[in-house]
Amino acid sequence: MSYDSTRAYHSTYSHRTPTAYQEPIAHRQGYTEPKLTTAEHGAIIVTCSAASACVTVPTAKLGQFYFLSDVPGESSRIYMSDKRAQFFRVLFRTKWWQGRPVRWLMVDYVTGLSLFIVLRQLLGDLAPAWSNGRRGFLAGATAGALYAALRHPYDVLRATAEASTGPRSFRGAADVFLTALKERPRVLKGLYRGFSVAISCRMAQFALQFGLYNWLRYDGVYRSPLMLFLYCHVATFLGLVAQYPVQALRQQLYLANTLTKGRPLGYRSLIMDMRRRHGITKVYDGFFRGKPLLNAVPPALLMFLYDVCTRRYTEYLYPELKAKPVHEQSLTSVAAPPHVKDVPDYEFQLKESH
């Protein structure tokens, strides 16, 4: 059987319907720098903080579905026949929004994010030659220090109100403050006791959380929204990892000085004793019991929503500012092939030159 080269030819191939040119679908996105007023920034921060605060308490309670995963070696395992009933029992009997009030969570998110945004913009104006990562880490650490200075008195008052042992009971932090202001005003001088530990925790947490987000946001937007959220979640999780040892040492030091009599222990002696007995990794004992992967979701969602909303709103107001994707990105991006920039000579030209 002979092969006919014209068998696959159709005369209609030479005719094409004239259509208008359309831009190809972009699989990558450029990062549009926000260009919004202070009021617009504030409205976006409040909206994103409210959305993140609404999902904070339910997200922390998702750990009740632990029985859906079979852990090897677990003795009290729920069998497959009972998992369906247990799933609906937990789903409908759990009070998902019972916990810390949403308004206070919203205030926390608004305060932390606003401090970081203002400080980042201030550093950008004062030191434009600094790299994006350097500005992010410094702005995050400074925001953590200011956040600790604002919140530490409230934490002390709340801990006093929630103490089980005491001469009287209080209804909340405001009740403790008003009672101390009327009866013993000198007690209020101790509101900043232990502030050095609190500021160390917050500076480490916010420096990693906001610093890594500010450094990786360009690459996250370039790749996909899911990658941007993953970067935000990893940054928040590493911030929790950085602050946990200081909090754990503070709690263990308090318990050790409460149960023992005589000269109180210090951080140095406690760390040396812990290292000698259990190893330095003892400081992370019980870290995953607090479900840090779930607790990192709301702050990551806050940064993700703020980043997306500011860029989209800027593109809506100023369509000409919409950035186009480029090949060279800030981190682990695919670079342009070498032949795109420097076209090599053809083979016959190389032969003629010889």
Side-chain angles (χ1 to χ4, degrees):
M1 180 178 179
S2 61
Y3 175 74
D4 187 3
S5 61
T6 62
R7 180 175 298 178
Y9 174 77
H10 295 276
S11 60
T12 56
Y13 283 178
S14 59
H15 302 281
R16 294 289 184 267
T17 304
T19 56
Y21 173 76
Q22 295 181 356
E23 290 287 343
I25 300 176
H27 296 281
R28 293 289 186 265
Q29 302 180 35
Y31 194 93
T32 304
E33 292 292 345
K35 187 180 179 182
L36 304 176
T37 62
T38 304
E40 292 169 345
H41 266 293
I44 291 177
I45 290 175
V46 171
T47 304
C48 297
S49 300
S52 301
C54 290
V55 301
T56 299
V57 177
T59 302
K61 295 183 179 181
L62 289 177
Q64 299 182 21
F65 292 105
Y66 71 95
F67 57 86
L68 294 177
S69 60
D70 289 332
V71 180
E74 185 180 356
S75 58
S76 58
R77 183 181 302 177
I78 301 178
Y79 293 96
M80 185 61 67
S81 59
D82 300 331
K83 283 186 177 181
R84 183 178 302 175
Q86 182 68 13
F87 173 81
F88 288 104
R89 190 179 298 114
V90 172
L91 181 63
F92 292 109
R93 291 186 179 180
T94 302
K95 298 180 180 180
W96 293 102
W97 277 271
Q98 184 178 6
R100 191 177 178 186
V102 175
R103 61 180 181 274
W104 293 117
L105 291 170
M106 182 177 170
V107 170
D108 283 348
Y109 291 149
V110 169
T111 304
L113 185 58
S114 301
L115 289 173
F116 169 72
I117 297 301
V118 171
L119 291 171
R120 184 182 66 177
Q121 183 65 32
L122 183 62
L123 288 176
D125 297 336
L126 296 178
W130 283 10
S131 62
N132 187 53
R134 187 178 181 182
R135 288 198 303 267
F137 282 104
L138 183 57
T142 310
L146 296 176
Y147 179 84
L150 294 174
R151 178 167 175 172
H152 186 70
Y154 170 75
D155 290 338
V156 173
L157 294 174
R158 188 182 65 177
T160 305
E162 295 176 355
S164 57
T165 59
R168 55 180 298 182
S169 59
F170 299 95
R171 291 175 295 179
D175 189 18
V176 176
F177 179 77
L178 294 177
T179 303
L181 190 62
K182 293 179 181 179
E183 300 180 1
R184 301 178 62 184
R186 298 180 60 182
V187 178
L188 297 178
K189 295 181 179 179
L191 289 179
Y192 279 93
R193 293 184 61 183
F195 178 66
S196 59
V197 179
I199 194 174
S200 301
C201 292
R202 293 300 179 182
M203 288 183 67
Q205 179 187 3
F206 280 32
L208 282 175
Q209 177 179 337
F210 290 114
L212 289 176
Y213 152 72
N214 198 62
W215 181 38
L216 300 174
R217 57 190 172 121
Y218 294 99
D219 187 75
V221 172
Y222 173 75
R223 295 183 179 277
S224 65
L226 182 60
M227 184 61 67
L228 176 62
F229 179 78
L230 179 62
Y231 283 155
C232 295
H233 187 269
V234 171
T236 307
F237 176 76
L238 292 179
L240 296 177
V241 171
Q243 74 155 352
Y244 183 80
V246 184
Q247 290 185 343
L249 289 174
R250 180 183 182 182
Q251 185 177 6
Q252 293 181 16
L253 185 64
Y254 173 77
L255 294 176
N257 291 331
T258 303
L259 299 177
T260 58
K261 297 181 180 180
R263 185 179 180 181
L265 296 176
Y267 282 100
R268 183 177 180 181
S269 58
L270 179 63
I271 293 175
M272 296 299 294
D273 182 67
M274 182 183 301
R275 181 181 179 184
R276 179 175 55 85
R277 291 186 177 184
H278 310 284
I280 197 61
T281 56
K282 184 67 175 178
V283 295
Y284 281 101
D285 188 19
F287 173 67
F288 285 98
R289 296 175 189 170
K291 297 173 289 188
L293 293 175
L294 288 177
N295 295 334
V297 171
L301 181 63
L302 172 64
M303 295 185 294
F304 172 78
L305 291 178
Y306 170 77
D307 191 279
V308 172
C309 291
T310 50
R311 289 187 293 104
R312 297 303 184 191
Y313 194 49
T314 301
E315 294 173 358
Y316 173 76
L317 295 178
Y318 311 100
E320 67 277 3
L321 296 180
K322 185 176 181 180
K324 295 182 179 180
V326 294
H327 291 288
E328 292 82 6
Q329 294 293 324
S330 58
L331 182 67
T332 63
S333 297
V334 181
H339 65 269
V340 174
K341 298 179 180 179
D342 302 322
V343 181
D345 297 332
Y346 289 105
E347 185 178 358
F348 66 88
Q349 292 179 348
L350 295 176
K351 290 182 179 180
E352 290 179 357
S353 62
H354 292 294

